[in-house]
Every structure is written in structure tokens, then in C-alpha cells.
Amino acid sequence: MTQAAVSPSGASASGGAAPLLKLSGITKTFGAVRALDDVALDVRAGEVVALVGDNGAGKSTLIKTISGAGPADGGSITFEGREVHIKSPQDSTSLGIAVVYQDLALCDNLDVVENLYLGREARFHNQPFSRMNEVEMEQHAIELLGELQVKTLASVRTEVGSLSGGQRQSVAIARSLLGEPKIVILDEPTAALGVAQTAQVLALVKRLKERGLGVVLISHNLSDVFEVADRIVVLRLGRNGGEYPATSDQRQAVVAAITGVSDDKPASAATTEVQS
Amino acid sequence: MTGFPSTVAERDAVDESGNALQRVLRKLAAGELGSLRVLIVLAIIWVIFQIANDRFLTAINLTNLTLQIAAVGCISVGVTLVLLLGEIDLSVGAVSGLAAAVMAVLSVKHGWGPYPAILAAIAVGAAIGLFQGTVSTRLAIPTFVVTLAGLLAWQGAQLYVLGSTGTLNINDETITNLAGVFLDDWVGWAVALVVIVGLVVTELGFRRQRAAAGLVQAPPVGSAIRLVGAAVALLGGVYVVNQDRGVPLSLVILLVIIAFFHWLLTRTRFGRHVYAVGGNDEAARRAGIPVARIRTIVFVLASALAAFGGVLAASRLQAVNQSSGGSDLLLLAIAGPVIAGTSLFGGRGSVWGALLGALVIGSISNGMDLLALESSVKFMVTGGVLLGAVALDAATSSRRTTGRT
Ligand SMILES: Nc1ncnc2c1ncn2[C@@H]1O[C@H](COP(=O)(O)OP(=O)(O)OP(=O)(O)O)[C@@H](O)[C@H]1O
Ligand SMILES: [Mg+2]
């Protein structure tokens, strides 16, 4: 029945390629609160899926079931066609799923290279007290940031604490790519950014897509969503609230699906909810 | 310029404005040249005391100064590690006293050889660090509380170990030699030369590697200034102390310890993780760093270094008594690195601060002794210098934060 609630138009954006990541029937409860109820989500390689919904819709909770930070109570997850069980962040990382959290988790006292390689420092030998290979790390950092066209950094040896919000976001996203993930999940990457810096981060999201990565983008900003996403998945009160191609004519429909004002929308779970 | 520059490029462009002197002053104020700042403070203190008493800058007095700071400097290295995590260890003084007592009892009363006795003292320190680190990480108790409890408990243990005797005189030569032996003049020169050559070779190799990899190089002037500075300090230092008894072994030991921990902190993954945990422990955790293990290891190292500091102090005094490791030792061991710019909030600082801070505090104390001033004055002046240094740190670190856009 989940599938029925999803509008068929979704498939048009990314052709018939098999999804890289497929969630179905995901449920999650916190005590009496049903945070997720029978939620489905597909992500294909080389596409940007926007996950939208009002506050408390369950976006972060859904992401946590994928990242392993808060495993689902029920439902199934398939990754590259295989059924997988994600029980911890390590499970998710080893599958090739990277998450950039909204609070970024960078060390302000370390420079860009040091942050990029934190926890996976290059060393000359694989022994506990081997010297780090700074030259290799710096070279790769420059290379990676170059590929992502992150150009505003004066030096990769700048302390991250002195960077702007957009630069910090760029560093956090670049950092997530070092594990060579197949899917990158971004939780509100443009929140609190100015116009120019938002554009910078959105351009970076497009480049992730060009690299063939599957991208899940959580955002409250619909103009950002329509600018970079291929598909928009709406969550409403912990359920799928419809799926739309990210073409500008869908804007009204997406807003309606988020707020639950169902005028031009096909019957779905949302219609049974109390009017807001 | 209106408002804050929004990119690093702009910020640097701002930095390029003004003449070289203004630029250096700005960097000084921003805390970027932390060690230069403390060197200036040190120079001012030396000039003042030299004016007040011309015996201050004599070979014999400067040699005494290095002898006086070896123990506290060693303890400060451990304190620096703990401060880098953004934690505090209030037990280092008590641990140094207990370790010294253990060494003395084993050596004097039980006839242990010098090396087993010293190793046992260090092992006692390490075990205490393991205990305190584990308790604080496992039970999530602030290290301030755990080590405050330790301060009381280990002081008690020291009295217990010393028993009714109270004071134990150490007559083992190997132990007393730690603080009582001086290198021959030519050995001092040779060591200094070897170190200088080592520094130059390392720096050249470093630059060659970066050049080969096509990475941007810092201007060679910077390298040159640093190397010349180090060479002048080493050769000048050896020259001065050779006018008196020669290079003290305890100073060599302290420098080796500092050099080793500097290497550990800046060149190894462990060191990087110490800075990361001190900067943002949540980020470190998410990066897969075993935060609790890093914290525990640092507390083990800090207590072991405190124990060895206690050994050095006992060697210099040639005795251990009930007040060993007590009095102002703890406060000075913490004040030193802080004066030298190690942040109390974690993540910023260098173990060289342990040496520079100990030199500043040691110079004040030594100079005031020469002037035969009361300890009341000594304490107040040291307190003032500490407050001034921390105020400067707070002012500059808040500037760093607000500088972000
Ligand atoms: N740890 C938790 N314990 C109890 N309830 C929780 C917990 N985490 C989330 N919830 C509940 O689950 C629901 C979904 O929350 P979630 O954070 O996923 O929303 P969201 O879509 O990310 O909202 P926002 O846009 O505000 O970030 C909310 O009703 C929330 O109160
Ligand atoms: Mg959320």
C-alpha cells in the first residue's frame, strides 16, 4: 500500500535504473510516538533526492535509520539489491553511506587537511606510533577540493574555526567523500547560510551527483530543493506524503503535501489526518 | 574595511595591509605567535631582575635556574597534555610526592637498586593515572573532581608510605646524580651541534618533500629564522652554562622529554587525536576516534610524568619528606603552560610551553630570592603574571571566535 501512495510521476526523473538504496515499510516508535510509519524511500546512483516535510515529520529519524544512529524497528532496507541490516554507524559506513550532520562536527582548532583526514590519517607505516604522512594528506586534500571546485579557500592549512559557514559546509561534505561512499546524506546543508554561500553548497551538491553518487538532501528551503533535486519525497507526520519530480510546476503540489492541505493531490495517507 | 572579512583570502588581504611590524603585532595580539609572546615576557623579566641585581644573569645563577625548573617542567609536560584535552589534573603534585616517597622507601629501606626504584615510582604514577582516567571516563565524572579526590588521597598515601620517619635521605648516587651531574664542556658543545645539524637536516628534508610533491612552501625566511633562533639558543645556552659547571643532566633529560612529546603530539595519529578531542570531542567521536581511550592514555602519561618529576625533585633535594610534592608545586606546574599560552579550553598549545612557562615562573622565583624578597611578594607577583597571561589568552581566543563570519 506504501507504493500506491507514491505518485507514479517519481520514476520519470531517473529512468528505470535499479535503486542503490531502497527502504520499505520502515517503522520507528519512541514510546507512544510513531515517528515513522510504513515509510518507503528509493535512492539511485547519480540522483539527488530531496526529503522534505514539516518540523517533526520524521526526516531526521528516517536518516538515522539509514545512518545507523537510530536503527528502525521494522521494515526492510536493500542496498545494491541485497537486503541489509544497519544496526550501527559502522554498518552504514562500511556499506558506503556517508552522512553530513547539520552540526557538521568539525574541530575548529584543526586545519582543513587535519579535519578532512580526522580518524583516517595517512601514515608511513601501519603501526601505532608511525609518523603521519602530511604531504600525502595535503596533496589529496588539494586534489579533492579541486575536483569539487571548492575555490574560496586561501590555504588548506587554514584553521577550520576561521572559515565561513559555506566553507565549513564544503569541508564537511568533502570529508564525507574520503571514505568513497556511494550515497551521501546531507541534513539541512544550507540552513543558516547566506545567498552566495548557499549557491556554493548547492553547486557542490550537483558535483556529487555528477560523480555518480546518490544524494539525499534534507531541506526546509524549497527553492534550494527545486534547484538541485531530481525528485522530491514528502514526509508528513511520519508517513510518505507523496513523491514529485522537481519541476517548478510541482511547487504548489509539494507545498500542499507538506502542509497537508490536499486540494489537487491524489488521495493518500495525508487526507485522513486532521486538518491543520 | 567595513565588517569582518568573509573569506580567508580577504582576511589575508587585510593581513597584508600595513607594514611588516604592524603585521607581526597583529599576529602577536591574535595569539598566533604564542611562543614569541612568552619569550618577550621572559626577556622583560630577565631585564628587570638584571637591573635590580646584577647577579641575576650570571652563569652560576642561570645554571641554578635550570636546575630549579627541571622537576616542575617535567610535571608541566604532563599537565600540558591534559590541558590540550580541555581537562585538568589537580593530582600531579600529590602524585609526584607519592612517587618520590615510593622510590625513596624502596631505595633506602628495602635496598632496591636505583633503576628498579625509579621505574617503580613511575609505574605507581602510571597506575594512578590509569585509575583516575578510567574512573572519570567510565563514570563520566569531571576530571576536576576525580583528581581533586586524588590530590587528597595520594597525599595521604605519601604520608602512609613515609611512615613515622617523615624524612628519608637518599644516598644512592645514581638517583642523586640525575640532578647533580653536569656534562663535560665538550660533550655539551657536541650535543648542541648534533641537535642543530639534526634540526637543519629535518627542516631541509621537510621542505624538499613538499617541493617534490608540488605543495606551497612557507617562505624560507621563516625556516631560517626558526633554525637560527634554535641554534643561537642552544649554543648560547651551552656557552653560558659551560662558564659554570656545564650542562646539567636534568636539563638534558627535560629537553629530551619535551622533544619526544612534541614529536608525539605533532607527528603521530595519537597526538592529532589528542588535539581533536580537546577541540571538539563529539566530532572526534563521530570520526571514529576512541575518545575515552585517548583521555585515559593522556591521564596515564600525565601521572607518569608527574611521578618522574617527583623523582627529579627528590634527586635535587637528595631527600623525600612529608611536604615533597606539596606546597605550590601543583599550582606552578599548571600555571607554567598556561602562562606560555596553552589554552584551558583544550585543543591549543604546545609542550614547549611547559619549558617556557617553567622558565618564566622559575625566573620570577629565582630573581625574587636574589633580591631577598618575602615569599608573600613572590606569590603575589606570580599570581599577577598568571592572571595577565590568562586574560591575554581569553581576550585573544574570544577574538578568534568572533572573527568567524
Ligand atoms: N529520541 C526521540 N525520542 C522521542 N521522540 C523522538 C525522538 N526523536 C524524534 N522524536 C519524535 O519523532 C518525530 C519526528 O522527529 P524528527 O526529528 O525526525 O523530525 P524532522 O522531520 O527531522 O523535523 P525537523 O524538520 O524539525 O528537523 C517527532 O514527533 C519527534 O518528537
Ligand atoms: Mg530534523
Side-chain angles (χ1 to χ4, degrees), chain B residues 83-125:
Chain B
L83 291 179
L84 285 177
L85 287 180
E87 305 283 341
I88 191 85
D89 188 341
L90 298 178
S91 72
V92 285
V95 169
S96 80
L98 172 58
V102 166
M103 176 190 71
V105 167
L106 290 176
S107 166
V108 176
K109 287 193 181 166
H110 297 273
W112 283 37
Y115 296 112
I118 292 173
L119 283 180
I122 296 173
V124 165

Side-chain angles (χ1 to χ4, degrees), chain A residues 16-276:
Chain A
L20 202 51
L21 175 72
K22 186 176 181 64
L23 310 187
S24 56
I26 299 293
T27 59
K28 175 93 183 172
T29 53
F30 295 106
V33 182
R34 245 178 189 263
L36 295 175
D37 186 5
D38 198 17
V39 174
L41 177 72
D42 288 355
V43 185
R44 292 177 184 78
E47 82 168 337
V48 178
V49 180
L51 191 58
V52 301
D54 231 333
N55 294 116
K59 304 181 295 293
S60 296
T61 308
L62 182 61
I63 290 317
K64 283 178 189 155
T65 68
I66 308 173
S67 72
D73 297 336
S76 79
I77 303 180
T78 33
F79 191 80
E80 297 184 308
R82 282 182 303 117
E83 169 129 20
V84 294
H85 298 276
I86 300 176
K87 297 261 175 285
S88 70
Q90 283 77 16
D91 291 349
S92 156
T93 310
S94 61
L95 283 174
I97 299 171
V99 185
V100 181
Y101 292 97
Q102 191 179 344
D103 57 357
L104 299 186
L106 297 171
C107 289
D108 283 354
N109 59 326
L110 300 184
D111 67 32
V112 173
V113 179
E114 291 168 343
N115 266 288
L116 287 176
Y117 276 89
L118 193 60
R120 59 175 120 231
E121 294 83 1
R123 294 182 298 177
F124 287 105
H125 305 284
N126 197 16
Q127 292 151 0
F129 288 104
S130 168
R131 209 151 55 83
M132 292 183 291
N133 191 340
E134 295 285 354
V135 167
E136 181 188 324
M137 288 192 277
E138 189 166 333
Q139 263 183 320
H140 281 171
I142 290 170
E143 214 173 286
L144 177 66
L145 293 171
E147 280 168 27
L148 297 174
Q149 299 180 31
V150 177
K151 288 172 187 156
T152 58
L153 286 176
S155 157
V156 288
R157 289 297 181 183
T158 315
E159 251 183 39
V160 161
S162 69
L163 298 184
S164 71
Q167 290 170 328
R168 291 163 62 79
Q169 186 72 53
S170 303
V171 171
I173 293 175
R175 176 177 155 66
S176 75
L177 297 183
L178 277 178
E180 312 224 317
K182 295 175 176 135
I183 289 189
V184 178
I185 299 170
L186 306 170
D187 197 353
E188 306 213 24
T190 57
L193 293 190
V195 178
Q197 305 207 347
T198 297
Q200 184 185 331
V201 170
L202 292 182
L204 188 50
V205 171
K206 286 180 192 157
R207 252 163 257 130
L208 299 186
K209 171 184 157 164
E210 284 160 15
R211 286 168 81 102
L213 295 169
V215 180
V216 179
L217 172 74
I218 298 182
S219 181
H220 281 289
N221 185 329
L222 285 188
S223 47
D224 291 355
V225 165
F226 276 95
E227 185 177 337
V228 291
D230 298 306
R231 231 160 15 100
I232 299 173
V233 172
V234 180
L235 275 190
R236 177 160 166 72
L237 300 172
R239 292 166 159 270
N240 281 101
E243 189 176 313
Y244 302 84
T247 50
S248 47
D249 57 319
Q250 297 292 318
R251 202 172 168 118
Q252 290 303 322
V254 170
V255 172
I258 291 172
T259 55
V261 184
S262 46
D263 36 351
D264 58 343
K265 209 164 73 65
S268 79
T271 55
T272 60
E273 305 294 346
V274 187
Q275 301 285 334
S276 51

Side-chain angles (χ1 to χ4, degrees), chain B residues 113-385:
Chain B
Y115 296 112
I118 292 173
L119 283 180
I122 296 173
V124 165
I128 289 174
L130 182 62
F131 172 75
Q132 294 183 153
T134 310
V135 166
S136 110
T137 51
R138 284 283 161 80
L139 305 179
I141 305 175
T143 50
F144 179 88
V145 180
V146 174
T147 58
L148 182 60
L151 161 65
L152 295 167
W154 314 130
Q155 234 166 22
Q158 179 182 348
L159 299 184
Y160 178 81
V161 167
L162 285 174
S164 52
T165 6
T167 301
L168 282 175
N169 291 319
I170 299 170
N171 27 41
D172 183 285
E173 262 201 6
T174 312
I175 295 177
T176 53
N177 275 352
L178 283 178
V181 137
F182 300 82
L183 304 188
D184 284 341
D185 285 8
W186 71 269
V187 178
W189 287 118
V191 169
L193 280 178
V194 167
V195 171
I196 291 168
V197 169
L199 288 176
V200 171
V201 167
T202 312
E203 181 72 17
L204 287 180
F206 178 71
R207 293 189 73 91
R208 189 150 358 106
Q209 252 185 343
R210 289 184 62 89
L215 297 175
V216 280
Q217 297 274 23
V221 197
S223 299
I225 290 178
R226 249 181 300 131
L227 288 174
V228 170
V232 168
L234 276 164
L235 295 175
V238 170
Y239 173 79
V240 170
V241 293
N242 274 355
Q243 303 300 305
D244 186 41
R245 287 153 283 178
V247 179
L249 177 63
S250 59
L251 178 64
V252 176
I253 293 175
L254 176 62
L255 291 177
V256 167
I257 289 174
I258 291 176
F260 170 76
F261 280 96
H262 177 75
W263 177 85
L264 190 71
L265 281 176
T266 57
R267 299 283 173 255
T268 71
R269 191 181 266 192
F270 170 77
R272 178 68 40 84
H273 292 178
V274 169
Y275 280 96
V277 171
N280 182 347
D281 59 347
E282 181 57 26
R285 195 170 291 116
R286 287 200 209 152
I289 294 171
V291 173
R293 198 195 311 163
I294 299 279
R295 285 213 173 100
T296 308
I297 294 174
V298 164
F299 272 87
V300 170
L301 292 173
S303 294
L305 283 162
F308 190 64
V311 169
L312 287 178
S315 162
R316 183 167 146 72
L317 194 63
Q318 308 198 344
V320 175
N321 57 40
Q322 295 178 332
S323 66
S324 292
S327 176
D328 53 357
L329 181 64
L330 162 71
L331 303 176
L332 297 183
I334 295 177
V338 173
I339 285 175
T342 301
S343 167
L344 289 166
F345 308 109
R348 287 179 206 280
S350 149
V351 278
W352 287 103
L355 176 69
L356 297 174
L359 273 175
V360 168
I361 290 178
S363 299
I364 294 172
S365 164
N366 175 301
M368 299 227 169
D369 285 345
L370 276 189
L371 298 176
L373 289 173
E374 305 273 336
S375 17
S376 57
V377 181
K378 202 154 93 179
F379 278 130
M380 288 190 282
V381 170
T382 310
V385 171

